[in-house]
Amino acid sequence: MDKYIQYFRQARNLLRQEKAFCAIYILGTGLSITVVMALLIVFHIKIANVYPETNRDRMLSVKRGMERSETTTSSGGISHTFIETCLKPLENAEAVTAVSAGEARVQSEGSRRSVAVKRLYTDEDFWTVFRFRFSEGKPYTAADVQSGIPVAVVARSLAQRLFGDAGAVGQYLIMNSRQYRICGVAEDASWIAANCYAQVWTPYSVDPDIAQGWGLSGFMGNMQAYILASSSAGVGKTKREIEDRFRRFAAQCTEAAPDLLGQPDIHWQSVFREGDNSIDFSRVVWQYGLVVFVLLLVPAVSLSGMADSRMERRLAEMGIRRAFGAPASTLMRQVLFENFLFTLPGGMAGLLFSWILVVASGRWIMNIGQSLTEIPPGDAAVGFTPTMLFNLPVFGLLLLVCFLLNLFSALIPAWRASRHQIVDSLNVN
């Protein structure tokens, strides 16, 4: 511990002696880290558990399918029948929900102004898979879904827009010329949570066409399925059970061959899936890993040049310390430690810059990594929360990036300084 305290004191003295150099180094580090951190924050928000997708670590999805026959090939959503017969009875799942998205215009009774909203048709299990918080009322029940009662859950921002400060539960709204009774008001979700984001949720049974299947095998339809595994450790077991059930379902189809396109996907895989194409997820990991590596390597080369020039000015100091018995390994550790102390505040600045970049360009930057974008209707905001931008995983990513950048930029200068001949170091003017 004493030696690290000594390293810290020496770094502090260097900061006082070379203020201009240290300021440029820290600022350069911050700008270098900004793009990397912004990219990592985007993927963290897309993959980590965020409200109301608080169970992403144990969620599977089947969003699209394909049906091939001798004469035709069709692709699209999956049918309600397939979800009910093959996915709902899963033994290793806590809940399975069927979801279909749509758009609508809503207005309060007596109002002539309508509002464009995103609408989701769901079943009662939707509220188990996705954990919304309710400020008023409660979600619709299995009995509501089975009977097709026109009830709705609305987002709190929409409730305030339609009814002001008056309670919304029990009131009625008009949606696409049909009257719905509001049974619950849910706290708004960010459209980053694209699997469940909406402003109005209704039972799918209010529109018989939603559950209608099509195609030759009874596999194709208008819905998507989200499966909540019993535990994070059991996701693989649930995935294998779905694949086994699908094989048995496909074996019974004689007129056309259904295809799950490699699904079900665990959540992070669904982020990168593009349309109907099967995807090599190991290749995706390598591609983005290479991008991060290059984004770190390019600025590290510049910072390494700055660190190397500083080492040239400190060769006499290094020579004296080695003459008094300091081993080369100690000098190398000191240089790496000092450089890390300069990299860390630069990293903090880079994290701040990356937050500004992510928030300022939220509608664009959150579409990185997916081809089918989710554009919120009307004036819906992206909806970043403090826990999305700053938490322990994000801070851990920052430390990792700082460490890697420090390693790339300081390793060679530190090694060269530690290996320099003592006599040559003492003779430097």
Side-chain angles (χ1 to χ4, degrees):
M1 180 61 69
D2 291 340
K3 64 181 178 181
Y4 290 107
I5 294 176
Q6 182 181 2
Y7 293 162
F8 177 78
R9 290 173 178 171
Q10 290 170 342
R12 184 182 59 188
N13 292 334
L14 181 63
L15 181 61
R16 291 173 178 174
Q17 296 169 4
E18 302 186 27
K19 294 180 180 179
F21 170 85
C22 294
I24 294 173
Y25 191 90
I26 291 173
L27 181 61
T29 302
L31 293 176
S32 302
I33 286 179
T34 297
V35 176
V36 178
M37 283 306 304
L39 187 63
L40 294 178
I41 289 173
V42 166
F43 287 128
H44 171 77
I45 293 173
K46 285 175 173 287
I47 294 170
N49 294 334
V50 299
Y51 171 82
E53 296 182 5
T54 55
N55 295 309
R56 285 174 170 177
D57 56 338
R58 57 189 182 105
M59 190 168 70
L60 295 159
S61 63
V62 180
K63 297 183 178 181
R64 295 182 65 82
M66 183 175 289
E67 182 184 81
R68 297 181 178 89
S69 67
E70 293 182 358
T71 57
T72 62
T73 297
S74 303
S75 64
I78 58 176
S79 70
H80 179 259
T81 301
F82 172 74
I83 296 173
E84 286 290 327
T85 57
C86 286
L87 301 182
K88 287 281 188 178
L90 289 170
E91 297 178 0
N92 298 295
E94 179 180 334
V96 178
T97 183
V99 178
S100 183
E103 295 181 352
R105 298 196 69 87
V106 302
Q107 61 194 77
S108 59
E109 282 191 310
S111 174
R112 295 184 178 181
R113 294 187 60 186
S114 62
V115 179
V117 297
K118 180 175 179 180
R119 174 185 187 176
L120 285 187
Y121 299 88
T122 77
D123 55 23
E124 72 280 2
D125 289 322
F126 178 85
W127 309 106
T128 301
V129 176
F130 302 104
R131 304 299 174 91
F132 281 83
R133 297 188 295 267
F134 279 76
S135 57
E136 291 183 60
K138 58 184 180 180
Y140 39 81
T141 65
D144 295 328
V145 175
Q146 291 171 4
S147 59
I149 294 177
V151 294
V153 172
V154 299
R156 186 161 64 91
S157 61
L158 179 62
Q160 290 178 338
R161 187 169 183 176
L162 295 178
F163 306 106
D165 294 331
V169 172
Q171 300 207 51
Y172 290 85
L173 59 80
I174 307 300
M175 181 161 52
N176 293 350
S177 302
R178 186 175 182 182
Q179 187 184 64
Y180 290 80
R181 179 179 60 83
I182 298 175
C183 63
V185 178
E187 294 292 333
D188 286 75
S190 167
W191 67 270
I192 294 169
N195 295 325
C196 62
Y197 169 80
Q199 290 137 311
V200 180
W201 300 263
T202 62
Y204 68 83
S205 53
V206 300
D207 187 344
D209 292 336
I210 296 299
Q212 187 69 38
W214 52 276
L216 299 175
S217 64
F219 174 61
M220 307 304 297
N222 306 304
M223 310 198 87
Q224 300 176 342
Y226 297 93
I227 303 99
L228 186 63
S230 302
S231 64
S232 301
V235 169
K237 187 175 182 181
T238 305
K239 180 178 174 68
R240 289 190 294 273
E241 184 183 357
I242 294 171
E243 292 169 345
D244 182 60
R245 284 180 172 272
F246 177 73
R247 280 193 294 269
R248 284 181 285 178
F249 171 84
Q252 299 173 359
C253 301
T254 56
E255 297 186 46
D259 187 352
L260 272 183
L261 305 171
Q263 299 170 99
D265 292 332
I266 58 178
H267 176 72
W268 76 264
Q269 293 175 333
S270 69
V271 171
F272 296 98
R273 179 174 288 278
E274 299 180 359
D276 300 328
N277 299 321
S278 297
I279 185 168
D280 184 352
F281 292 107
S282 61
R283 182 179 179 183
V284 170
V285 173
W286 276 106
Q287 285 177 338
Y288 281 98
L290 181 61
V291 169
V292 172
F293 176 78
V294 171
L295 288 175
L296 283 174
L297 185 62
V298 172
V301 172
S302 299
L303 294 176
S304 180
M306 295 178 64
D308 197 39
S309 65
R310 180 163 59 91
M311 288 299 101
E312 291 293 333
R313 297 195 299 270
R314 297 182 62 192
L315 284 178
E317 172 197 339
M318 297 293 181
I320 293 173
R321 294 190 61 189
R322 290 193 63 192
F324 279 90
S329 58
T330 299
L331 298 180
M332 191 168 180
R333 283 196 300 269
Q334 177 191 335
V335 173
L336 289 173
F337 184 83
E338 290 175 358
N339 206 66
F340 183 75
L341 289 182
F342 295 145
T343 305
L344 189 58
M348 298 301 293
L351 181 60
L352 177 61
F353 295 155
S354 64
W355 285 340
I356 295 173
L357 177 61
V358 169
V359 173
S361 59
R363 286 176 176 257
W364 167 79
I365 201 169
M366 292 309 300
N367 287 321
I368 291 177
Q370 60 189 45
S371 60
L372 301 178
T373 59
E374 289 283 345
I375 304 300
D379 57 355
V382 176
F384 292 110
T385 63
T387 55
M388 289 180 182
L389 298 175
F390 184 79
N391 49 36
L392 287 179
V394 170
F395 190 71
L397 289 173
L398 169 67
L399 291 179
L400 177 62
V401 171
C402 287
F403 174 78
L404 292 175
L405 189 61
N406 174 67
L407 191 64
F408 290 160
S409 62
L411 187 60
I412 294 178
W415 180 81
R416 290 182 58 188
S418 65
R419 302 296 295 177
H420 211 277
Q421 294 295 323
I422 297 177
V423 174
D424 295 336
S425 298
L426 293 175
N427 287 333
V428 173
N429 294 324

